[in-house]
Coordinates of all heavy atoms in Angstrom, one line a residue:
M2 N 81.6 104.1 44.1 CA 81.4 105.3 44.9 C 81.2 106.5 44.1 O 80.8 107.5 44.7 CB 82.6 105.4 45.9 CG 82.8 104.3 46.9 SD 81.3 103.9 47.8 CE 81.2 105.3 48.9
L3 N 81.5 106.5 42.8 CA 81.2 107.6 42.0 C 79.8 107.9 41.7 O 79.3 109.0 41.5 CB 82.0 107.5 40.7 CG 83.5 107.7 40.8 CD1 84.2 107.5 39.5 CD2 83.9 109.0 41.4
A4 N 79.0 106.8 41.6 CA 77.5 106.9 41.4 C 76.8 107.8 42.4 O 76.1 108.8 42.0 CB 76.9 105.6 41.3
P5 N 77.0 107.6 43.7 CA 76.4 108.5 44.7 C 76.8 110.0 44.5 O 76.0 110.9 44.6 CB 76.8 108.0 46.0 CG 77.1 106.5 45.8 CD 77.7 106.5 44.4
L6 N 78.1 110.2 44.2 CA 78.6 111.5 44.0 C 77.9 112.2 42.8 O 77.4 113.3 43.0 CB 80.1 111.4 43.8 CG 80.9 112.8 43.7 CD1 80.8 113.5 45.0 CD2 82.3 112.5 43.3
W7 N 77.9 111.5 41.7 CA 77.3 112.1 40.5 C 75.8 112.3 40.7 O 75.2 113.3 40.4 CB 77.5 111.2 39.3 CG 76.8 111.7 38.1 CD1 77.3 112.6 37.2 CD2 75.5 111.3 37.6 NE1 76.4 112.8 36.2 CE2 75.3 112.0 36.4 CE3 74.6 110.4 38.0 CZ2 74.1 111.9 35.7 CZ3 73.4 110.2 37.3 CH2 73.2 111.0 36.1
E8 N 75.1 111.3 41.3 CA 73.6 111.3 41.5 C 73.3 112.4 42.4 O 72.3 113.2 42.2 CB 73.1 110.0 41.9 CG 73.2 108.9 40.8 CD 72.7 107.5 41.3 OE1 72.4 107.4 42.5 OE2 72.8 106.6 40.5
E9 N 74.0 112.6 43.5 CA 73.6 113.6 44.5 C 73.9 115.0 44.0 O 73.0 115.9 44.1 CB 74.4 113.4 45.8 CG 74.0 112.2 46.6 CD 72.5 112.1 46.9 OE1 71.9 113.2 47.2 OE2 71.9 111.0 46.7
F10 N 75.0 115.2 43.3 CA 75.2 116.5 42.7 C 74.2 116.9 41.7 O 73.7 118.0 41.6 CB 76.6 116.7 42.2 CG 77.6 117.0 43.3 CD1 78.6 116.1 43.6 CD2 77.6 118.2 44.0 CE1 79.5 116.4 44.6 CE2 78.5 118.5 45.0 CZ 79.5 117.6 45.3
T11 N 73.8 115.9 40.8 CA 72.9 116.1 39.7 C 71.5 116.3 40.2 O 70.8 117.3 39.9 CB 73.0 115.0 38.7 OG1 74.3 114.9 38.2 CG2 72.0 115.2 37.6
F12 N 71.0 115.3 41.0 CA 69.6 115.3 41.3 C 69.2 116.1 42.6 O 68.1 116.7 42.6 CB 69.1 113.9 41.5 CG 69.0 113.2 40.1 CD1 70.1 112.4 39.7 CD2 68.0 113.4 39.3 CE1 70.1 111.8 38.5 CE2 67.9 112.8 38.0 CZ 69.0 112.0 37.6
R13 N 70.1 116.2 43.6 CA 69.7 116.9 44.8 C 70.5 118.2 44.9 O 70.0 119.2 45.4 CB 69.9 116.1 46.0 CG 68.6 115.3 46.2 CD 68.7 114.1 47.2 NE 69.3 112.9 46.6 CZ 68.7 112.1 45.8 NH1 67.5 112.3 45.3 NH2 69.4 111.0 45.3
G14 N 71.7 118.3 44.3 CA 72.5 119.5 44.4 C 72.0 120.5 43.3 O 71.8 121.6 43.6
F15 N 71.9 120.0 42.1 CA 71.5 121.0 41.0 C 70.0 121.0 40.8 O 69.3 122.0 40.9 CB 72.2 120.5 39.7 CG 71.7 121.3 38.5 CD1 72.0 122.6 38.3 CD2 70.9 120.7 37.6 CE1 71.6 123.3 37.2 CE2 70.5 121.3 36.4 CZ 70.8 122.7 36.3
L16 N 69.4 119.9 40.4 CA 68.0 119.8 40.0 C 67.0 120.2 41.2 O 66.2 121.1 41.0 CB 67.6 118.5 39.5 CG 66.2 118.3 38.9 CD1 66.0 119.4 37.8 CD2 66.0 116.9 38.3
L17 N 67.2 119.6 42.3 CA 66.3 119.9 43.5 C 66.5 121.3 43.9 O 65.4 122.0 44.2 CB 66.6 119.0 44.7 CG 65.8 119.2 45.9 CD1 64.3 119.2 45.7 CD2 66.3 118.3 47.0
S18 N 67.7 121.8 44.0 CA 67.8 123.2 44.4 C 67.2 124.2 43.4 O 66.6 125.2 43.8 CB 69.3 123.6 44.6 OG 70.0 123.5 43.4
A19 N 67.2 123.9 42.1 CA 66.6 124.8 41.1 C 65.0 124.6 41.2 O 64.3 125.7 41.2 CB 67.0 124.4 39.7
L20 N 64.5 123.4 41.4 CA 63.1 123.2 41.4 C 62.5 123.8 42.7 O 61.4 124.3 42.8 CB 62.7 121.7 41.3 CG 63.0 121.1 39.9 CD1 62.8 119.6 40.0 CD2 62.1 121.8 38.9
A21 N 63.3 123.7 43.8 CA 62.8 124.2 45.1 C 62.5 125.7 45.0 O 61.7 126.2 45.8 CB 63.8 123.9 46.2
R22 N 63.3 126.4 44.2 CA 63.1 127.9 44.0 C 61.9 128.2 43.0 O 61.6 129.4 42.8 CB 64.4 128.6 43.6 CG 65.4 128.5 44.6 CD 66.6 129.4 44.2 NE 67.3 128.9 43.0 CZ 68.3 128.0 43.0 NH1 68.7 127.5 44.1 NH2 68.8 127.6 41.8
S23 N 61.4 127.2 42.4 CA 60.3 127.4 41.4 C 59.0 127.4 42.2 O 58.9 127.1 43.4 CB 60.3 126.3 40.4 OG 59.8 125.1 40.9
P24 N 57.9 127.6 41.5 CA 56.5 127.5 42.1 C 56.2 126.1 42.7 O 55.4 126.0 43.6 CB 55.6 127.8 41.0 CG 56.3 128.6 40.0 CD 57.7 128.1 40.1
L25 N 57.0 125.1 42.3 CA 56.8 123.8 42.9 C 57.1 123.7 44.4 O 56.6 123.0 45.2 CB 57.6 122.7 42.2 CG 57.2 122.3 40.8 CD1 58.3 121.4 40.2 CD2 55.9 121.6 40.8
G26 N 58.1 124.6 44.8 CA 58.6 124.5 46.2 C 59.5 123.4 46.4 O 59.7 122.6 45.5
F27 N 59.9 123.2 47.7 CA 60.8 122.2 48.0 C 60.3 120.8 47.8 O 60.9 120.0 47.1 CB 61.4 122.3 49.4 CG 62.3 121.2 49.8 CD1 63.6 121.2 49.4 CD2 61.8 120.1 50.5 CE1 64.4 120.1 49.6 CE2 62.7 119.0 50.8 CZ 64.0 119.0 50.3
W28 N 59.1 120.5 48.4 CA 58.6 119.1 48.3 C 58.1 118.7 46.9 O 58.3 117.6 46.5 CB 57.5 118.9 49.4 CG 58.2 118.8 50.7 CD1 58.1 119.7 51.8 CD2 59.0 117.7 51.2 NE1 58.8 119.2 52.8 CE2 59.4 118.1 52.5 CE3 59.5 116.6 50.6 CZ2 60.3 117.3 53.2 CZ3 60.4 115.8 51.4 CH2 60.8 116.1 52.6
G29 N 57.6 119.7 46.2 CA 57.2 119.4 44.8 C 58.5 119.1 44.0 O 58.5 118.2 43.1
G30 N 59.5 119.9 44.2 CA 60.8 119.7 43.5 C 61.4 118.4 43.9 O 62.0 117.7 43.1
A31 N 61.2 118.0 45.2 CA 61.8 116.7 45.6 C 61.1 115.6 44.9 O 61.7 114.6 44.5 CB 61.6 116.6 47.1
V32 N 59.8 115.7 44.8 CA 59.0 114.6 44.1 C 59.4 114.5 42.6 O 59.7 113.4 42.1 CB 57.5 114.8 44.2 CG1 56.7 113.9 43.3 CG2 57.0 114.6 45.6
V33 N 59.6 115.6 41.9 CA 60.0 115.6 40.5 C 61.4 115.1 40.4 O 61.7 114.2 39.6 CB 59.8 117.0 39.9 CG1 60.5 117.1 38.5 CG2 58.4 117.4 39.8
S34 N 62.3 115.7 41.1 CA 63.7 115.2 41.0 C 63.9 113.8 41.3 O 64.7 113.1 40.7 CB 64.7 116.1 41.8 OG 64.5 116.0 43.2
N35 N 63.2 113.3 42.4 CA 63.4 111.9 42.8 C 62.6 111.0 41.8 O 63.0 109.8 41.6 CB 62.9 111.7 44.2 CG 63.9 112.2 45.2 OD1 65.0 111.9 45.1 ND2 63.4 113.1 46.0
G36 N 61.6 111.5 41.2 CA 60.9 110.7 40.1 C 61.9 110.5 38.9 O 62.0 109.4 38.4
L37 N 62.6 111.5 38.6 CA 63.6 111.4 37.5 C 64.8 110.5 38.0 O 65.3 109.7 37.2 CB 64.1 112.8 37.1 CG 63.1 113.6 36.4 CD1 63.7 115.1 36.2 CD2 62.7 113.1 35.1
W38 N 65.2 110.6 39.2 CA 66.3 109.8 39.7 C 65.9 108.3 39.7 O 66.7 107.5 39.4 CB 66.7 110.3 41.1 CG 67.8 109.5 41.8 CD1 69.0 109.3 41.3 CD2 67.7 108.8 43.0 NE1 69.8 108.6 42.2 CE2 69.0 108.3 43.3 CE3 66.7 108.7 44.0 CZ2 69.3 107.6 44.4 CZ3 67.0 108.0 45.1 CH2 68.3 107.4 45.3
T39 N 64.6 108.1 40.1 CA 64.2 106.7 40.1 C 64.2 106.1 38.7 O 64.4 104.9 38.6 CB 62.7 106.7 40.8 OG1 62.8 107.2 42.1 CG2 62.2 105.3 40.8
T40 N 63.9 106.9 37.7 CA 64.0 106.3 36.3 C 65.4 105.8 35.9 O 65.5 104.9 35.1 CB 63.5 107.3 35.3 OG1 64.4 108.4 35.2 CG2 62.1 107.8 35.5
L41 N 66.4 106.3 36.6 CA 67.7 105.7 36.3 C 67.8 104.3 36.8 O 68.7 103.6 36.4 CB 68.8 106.5 37.1 CG 69.2 107.9 36.6 CD1 70.3 108.5 37.4 CD2 69.7 107.8 35.1
H42 N 67.0 103.9 37.7 CA 67.0 102.6 38.2 C 65.8 101.7 37.6 O 65.3 100.8 38.3 CB 66.8 102.7 39.8 CG 67.9 103.5 40.4 ND1 67.8 104.9 40.5 CD2 69.1 103.2 40.9 CE1 68.9 105.4 41.1 NE2 69.7 104.4 41.3
A43 N 65.5 102.0 36.4 CA 64.3 101.4 35.8 C 64.4 99.8 35.7 O 63.3 99.2 35.6 CB 64.1 102.0 34.4
T44 N 65.5 99.3 35.8 CA 65.7 97.8 35.7 C 65.3 97.1 37.1 O 65.3 95.9 37.1 CB 67.1 97.4 35.3 OG1 68.0 97.9 36.3 CG2 67.4 97.9 33.9
Y45 N 65.1 97.9 38.1 CA 64.8 97.4 39.4 C 63.3 96.8 39.4 O 62.5 97.2 38.6 CB 64.9 98.4 40.5 CG 66.3 98.8 40.9 CD1 67.4 98.6 40.0 CD2 66.6 99.5 42.1 CE1 68.7 99.0 40.3 CE2 67.8 99.9 42.4 CZ 68.9 99.7 41.5 OH 70.1 100.1 41.9
S46 N 63.0 96.0 40.4 CA 61.7 95.5 40.6 C 60.8 96.7 41.1 O 61.4 97.8 41.5 CB 61.7 94.4 41.7 OG 62.0 95.0 43.0
W47 N 59.5 96.5 41.1 CA 58.6 97.6 41.7 C 59.0 97.9 43.1 O 59.0 99.1 43.5 CB 57.1 97.2 41.6 CG 56.6 97.3 40.2 CD1 56.4 96.3 39.3 CD2 56.3 98.5 39.5 NE1 55.9 96.9 38.1 CE2 55.9 98.2 38.2 CE3 56.4 99.9 39.8 CZ2 55.6 99.2 37.3 CZ3 56.1 100.8 38.9 CH2 55.7 100.5 37.6
A48 N 59.2 96.9 43.9 CA 59.6 97.2 45.3 C 60.9 98.0 45.3 O 61.1 98.9 46.2 CB 59.8 95.9 46.1
G49 N 61.9 97.6 44.5 CA 63.1 98.3 44.4 C 62.9 99.8 44.0 O 63.6 100.7 44.5
L50 N 62.0 100.0 43.0 CA 61.8 101.4 42.6 C 61.1 102.2 43.7 O 61.5 103.4 43.9 CB 60.9 101.4 41.3 CG 61.5 100.8 40.1 CD1 60.5 100.7 39.0 CD2 62.7 101.7 39.6
V51 N 60.2 101.6 44.4 CA 59.6 102.3 45.5 C 60.7 102.7 46.6 O 60.7 103.8 47.1 CB 58.4 101.5 46.1 CG1 58.0 102.1 47.5 CG2 57.3 101.4 45.2
S52 N 61.5 101.7 46.9 CA 62.6 102.0 47.9 C 63.5 103.1 47.4 O 64.0 103.9 48.2 CB 63.3 100.7 48.3 OG 64.1 100.2 47.2
V53 N 63.9 103.1 46.1 CA 64.8 104.1 45.6 C 64.1 105.5 45.7 O 64.7 106.5 46.1 CB 65.1 103.8 44.1 CG1 65.7 105.0 43.4 CG2 66.1 102.6 44.1
F54 N 62.8 105.5 45.4 CA 62.1 106.8 45.4 C 62.0 107.3 46.9 O 62.3 108.5 47.2 CB 60.7 106.7 44.8 CG 59.9 108.0 44.8 CD1 60.2 108.9 43.8 CD2 59.0 108.3 45.7 CE1 59.5 110.1 43.8 CE2 58.3 109.5 45.7 CZ 58.6 110.4 44.7
L55 N 61.7 106.4 47.8 CA 61.6 106.8 49.2 C 62.9 107.2 49.8 O 63.1 108.2 50.5 CB 61.0 105.7 50.0 CG 59.5 105.4 49.7 CD1 59.0 104.2 50.6 CD2 58.6 106.6 50.0
A56 N 64.0 106.5 49.4 CA 65.3 106.9 49.8 C 65.7 108.3 49.3 O 66.3 109.1 50.0 CB 66.3 105.8 49.3
G57 N 65.3 108.6 48.1 CA 65.5 109.9 47.5 C 64.8 111.0 48.3 O 65.4 112.1 48.5
L58 N 63.6 110.7 48.7 CA 62.9 111.7 49.5 C 63.6 111.9 50.9 O 63.7 113.1 51.3 CB 61.5 111.3 49.8 CG 60.5 111.3 48.6 CD1 59.1 110.8 49.0 CD2 60.4 112.7 48.0
I59 N 64.1 110.9 51.4 CA 64.9 111.0 52.7 C 66.2 111.8 52.5 O 66.5 112.7 53.2 CB 65.2 109.6 53.3 CG1 63.9 109.0 53.8 CG2 66.2 109.7 54.4 CD1 64.0 107.5 54.1
L60 N 66.9 111.5 51.4 CA 68.1 112.2 51.0 C 67.8 113.7 50.8 O 68.5 114.6 51.2 CB 68.8 111.6 49.8 CG 69.4 110.2 50.1 CD1 69.8 109.5 48.8 CD2 70.5 110.2 51.1
S61 N 66.7 113.9 50.1 CA 66.2 115.3 49.9 C 66.0 116.0 51.2 O 66.4 117.2 51.3 CB 65.0 115.3 49.0 OG 65.3 114.8 47.7
W62 N 65.3 115.4 52.1 CA 65.0 115.9 53.4 C 66.3 116.3 54.1 O 66.5 117.3 54.8 CB 64.2 115.0 54.2 CG 64.0 115.5 55.6 CD1 63.0 116.4 56.0 CD2 64.7 115.1 56.8 NE1 63.1 116.6 57.4 CE2 64.2 115.9 57.9 CE3 65.8 114.3 57.0 CZ2 64.6 115.7 59.1 CZ3 66.3 114.2 58.3 CH2 65.7 114.9 59.4
L63 N 67.3 115.4 54.0 CA 68.6 115.6 54.6 C 69.3 116.9 54.1 O 69.8 117.7 54.9 CB 69.6 114.5 54.4 CG 69.6 113.3 55.3 CD1 70.5 112.2 54.8 CD2 69.9 113.7 56.7
V64 N 69.2 117.1 52.8 CA 69.7 118.3 52.2 C 69.0 119.5 52.7 O 69.6 120.5 53.1 CB 69.7 118.2 50.6 CG1 70.0 119.6 50.0 CG2 70.6 117.1 50.1
W65 N 67.7 119.5 52.7 CA 66.9 120.6 53.2 C 67.1 120.9 54.7 O 67.3 122.0 55.1 CB 65.4 120.2 53.0 CG 64.4 121.2 53.6 CD1 64.2 122.5 53.1 CD2 63.6 121.0 54.7 NE1 63.3 123.1 53.9 CE2 62.8 122.2 54.9 CE3 63.3 119.9 55.5 CZ2 61.9 122.3 55.9 CZ3 62.4 120.1 56.5 CH2 61.7 121.3 56.7
R66 N 67.2 119.8 55.5 CA 67.3 120.0 56.9 C 68.7 120.6 57.3 O 68.8 121.4 58.2 CB 67.1 118.6 57.6 CG 67.2 118.6 59.1 CD 65.9 119.2 59.7 NE 65.9 119.0 61.1 CZ 66.0 119.9 62.0 NH1 66.0 121.2 61.6 NH2 66.0 119.7 63.3
T67 N 69.7 120.1 56.6 CA 71.1 120.5 57.0 C 71.6 121.7 56.2 O 72.6 122.3 56.6 CB 72.1 119.3 56.8 OG1 72.1 119.0 55.4 CG2 71.7 118.1 57.6
G68 N 71.0 121.9 55.0 CA 71.4 123.0 54.2 C 72.7 122.6 53.4 O 73.4 123.5 52.9
S69 N 73.0 121.4 53.4 CA 74.2 120.9 52.8 C 74.0 119.6 52.0 O 73.2 118.8 52.5 CB 75.3 120.7 53.8 OG 76.5 120.1 53.3
I70 N 74.7 119.3 51.0 CA 74.6 118.1 50.3 C 75.5 117.0 50.9 O 75.3 115.8 50.6 CB 74.9 118.3 48.8 CG1 74.4 117.1 47.9 CG2 76.4 118.5 48.6 CD1 74.5 117.4 46.5
K71 N 76.4 117.4 51.7 CA 77.4 116.4 52.3 C 76.7 115.3 53.1 O 77.1 114.1 52.9 CB 78.4 117.1 53.2 CG 79.3 118.0 52.4 CD 80.3 118.7 53.3 CE 81.1 119.7 52.6 NZ 82.0 120.5 53.4
P72 N 75.7 115.5 53.9 CA 75.1 114.4 54.6 C 74.4 113.4 53.6 O 74.4 112.2 53.8 CB 74.0 115.0 55.5 CG 74.6 116.4 55.8 CD 75.2 116.8 54.5
A73 N 73.8 113.9 52.6 CA 73.2 113.1 51.6 C 74.2 112.3 50.8 O 74.0 111.1 50.5 CB 72.3 113.9 50.6
L74 N 75.3 112.8 50.5 CA 76.4 112.1 49.9 C 76.9 110.9 50.8 O 77.1 109.8 50.3 CB 77.6 113.0 49.6 CG 77.5 113.9 48.4 CD1 78.6 115.0 48.5 CD2 77.6 113.2 47.2
V75 N 77.1 111.2 52.0 CA 77.5 110.2 53.0 C 76.5 109.1 53.1 O 76.8 107.9 53.0 CB 77.9 110.8 54.3 CG1 78.1 109.7 55.4 CG2 79.1 111.7 54.2
A76 N 75.2 109.5 53.3 CA 74.1 108.5 53.5 C 74.0 107.7 52.2 O 73.8 106.4 52.3 CB 72.8 109.2 53.8
H77 N 74.0 108.3 51.1 CA 73.9 107.5 49.8 C 75.0 106.5 49.6 O 74.8 105.4 49.3 CB 73.9 108.5 48.6 CG 73.5 107.9 47.3 ND1 73.0 108.7 46.3 CD2 73.5 106.7 46.8 CE1 72.7 107.9 45.3 NE2 73.0 106.7 45.6
G78 N 76.2 107.0 49.9 CA 77.4 106.1 49.8 C 77.3 104.9 50.8 O 77.6 103.8 50.4
L79 N 76.9 105.2 52.0 CA 76.8 104.2 53.0 C 75.7 103.2 52.7 O 75.8 102.0 52.8 CB 76.5 104.8 54.4 CG 77.7 105.4 55.1 CD1 77.3 106.1 56.4 CD2 78.8 104.4 55.3
G80 N 74.6 103.7 52.1 CA 73.5 102.9 51.7 C 73.9 101.9 50.6 O 73.6 100.7 50.6
N81 N 74.6 102.4 49.6 CA 75.1 101.6 48.5 C 76.1 100.5 49.1 O 76.1 99.4 48.6 CB 75.8 102.4 47.5 CG 74.8 103.1 46.6 OD1 73.6 103.1 46.8 ND2 75.3 103.7 45.5
L82 N 77.0 100.9 50.0 CA 77.9 100.0 50.6 C 77.2 98.9 51.4 O 77.6 97.7 51.2 CB 78.9 100.8 51.5 CG 80.1 100.0 52.1 CD1 81.0 99.6 51.0 CD2 80.8 100.9 53.1
V83 N 76.2 99.2 52.1 CA 75.4 98.2 52.9 C 74.7 97.3 51.9 O 74.8 96.0 52.0 CB 74.4 98.8 53.8 CG1 73.4 97.8 54.3 CG2 75.2 99.5 55.0
A84 N 74.1 97.8 50.8 CA 73.5 97.0 49.8 C 74.5 96.0 49.1 O 74.2 94.9 48.9 CB 72.8 97.9 48.8
L85 N 75.6 96.5 48.9 CA 76.7 95.7 48.2 C 77.1 94.6 49.2 O 77.3 93.4 48.8 CB 77.9 96.6 47.8 CG 79.0 95.9 47.0 CD1 78.4 95.5 45.6 CD2 80.1 96.9 46.8
A86 N 77.3 94.9 50.4 CA 77.8 93.9 51.4 C 76.7 92.8 51.6 O 77.0 91.7 51.7 CB 78.1 94.6 52.8
V87 N 75.5 93.2 51.7 CA 74.4 92.3 51.8 C 74.3 91.4 50.6 O 74.1 90.2 50.7 CB 73.0 93.0 52.1 CG1 71.9 92.0 52.0 CG2 73.1 93.6 53.5
T88 N 74.4 92.0 49.4 CA 74.4 91.2 48.2 C 75.5 90.1 48.2 O 75.3 89.0 47.9 CB 74.5 92.1 47.0 OG1 73.5 93.0 47.0 CG2 74.6 91.3 45.7
Y89 N 76.7 90.5 48.5 CA 77.8 89.6 48.5 C 77.7 88.6 49.6 O 78.1 87.4 49.5 CB 79.2 90.3 48.6 CG 79.6 90.8 47.3 CD1 79.7 92.2 47.1 CD2 80.0 90.0 46.3 CE1 80.2 92.7 45.8 CE2 80.4 90.4 45.0 CZ 80.5 91.8 44.8 OH 80.9 92.3 43.6
A90 N 77.2 89.0 50.8 CA 77.0 88.0 51.9 C 76.0 86.9 51.6 O 76.1 85.8 52.1 CB 76.6 88.8 53.2
F91 N 75.0 87.3 50.8 CA 73.9 86.3 50.6 C 73.8 85.8 49.2 O 72.8 85.0 48.9 CB 72.5 86.9 51.1 CG 72.5 87.2 52.5 CD1 72.7 88.4 53.1 CD2 72.3 86.1 53.4 CE1 72.6 88.7 54.4 CE2 72.3 86.3 54.8 CZ 72.5 87.6 55.3
A92 N 74.7 86.2 48.3 CA 74.7 85.7 46.9 C 75.0 84.3 46.9 O 75.9 83.8 47.7 CB 75.6 86.5 46.1
P93 N 74.3 83.5 46.0 CA 74.7 82.1 45.9 C 76.1 81.9 45.4 O 76.6 82.7 44.6 CB 73.7 81.6 44.9 CG 72.8 82.7 44.4 CD 73.3 83.9 45.1
V94 N 76.8 80.9 45.9 CA 78.2 80.7 45.6 C 78.2 79.6 44.5 O 77.5 78.6 44.6 CB 79.0 80.2 46.8 CG1 80.4 79.8 46.4 CG2 79.0 81.2 47.9
A95 N 78.9 79.9 43.4 CA 79.0 78.9 42.3 C 79.8 77.7 42.8 O 80.8 77.9 43.4 CB 79.6 79.5 41.1
A96 N 79.3 76.5 42.5 CA 80.0 75.3 42.9 C 81.1 74.9 42.0 O 81.3 75.2 40.9 CB 79.0 74.2 43.0

């Protein structure tokens, strides 16, 4: 649960908010910050990287729409929890 906290504060709380005030604007900043966030997941498949990038854009939109990082923190944590539950539910069991 610490990963979503660190990632949200770093990439959407700090980096996105700084880039949004630059000439890039909000959506340009969202693309740049989420591109960097996606590189943290470099070991993922191409489909995984695309899904991480798109999830980042959605989380960025949540921050923009609500004016708060809290909904993005909750959504990121819930997304990770669901991914973990699905992984454990469908992971092969060692015999």
Side-chain angles (χ1 to χ4, degrees):
M2 294 311 287
L3 290 178
L6 186 66
W7 178 83
E8 291 175 359
E9 290 308 315
F10 278 113
T11 301
F12 291 96
R13 275 163 282 285
F15 172 71
L16 186 58
L17 176 59
S18 64
L20 291 172
R22 291 188 300 269
S23 78
L25 290 172
F27 177 80
W28 287 110
V32 168
V33 170
S34 65
N35 287 309
L37 293 171
W38 180 57
T39 301
T40 64
L41 285 180
H42 304 84
T44 59
Y45 287 21
S46 67
W47 281 106
L50 291 173
V51 169
S52 69
V53 165
F54 185 79
L55 293 176
L58 290 178
I59 292 167
L60 293 169
S61 295
W62 177 81
L63 275 174
V64 170
W65 173 69
R66 181 78 169 114
T67 64
S69 172
I70 197 168
K71 290 176 187 176
L74 282 166
V75 170
H77 191 158
L79 288 174
N81 283 11
L82 188 62
V83 167
L85 188 63
V87 168
T88 299
Y89 279 114
F91 294 102
V94 177

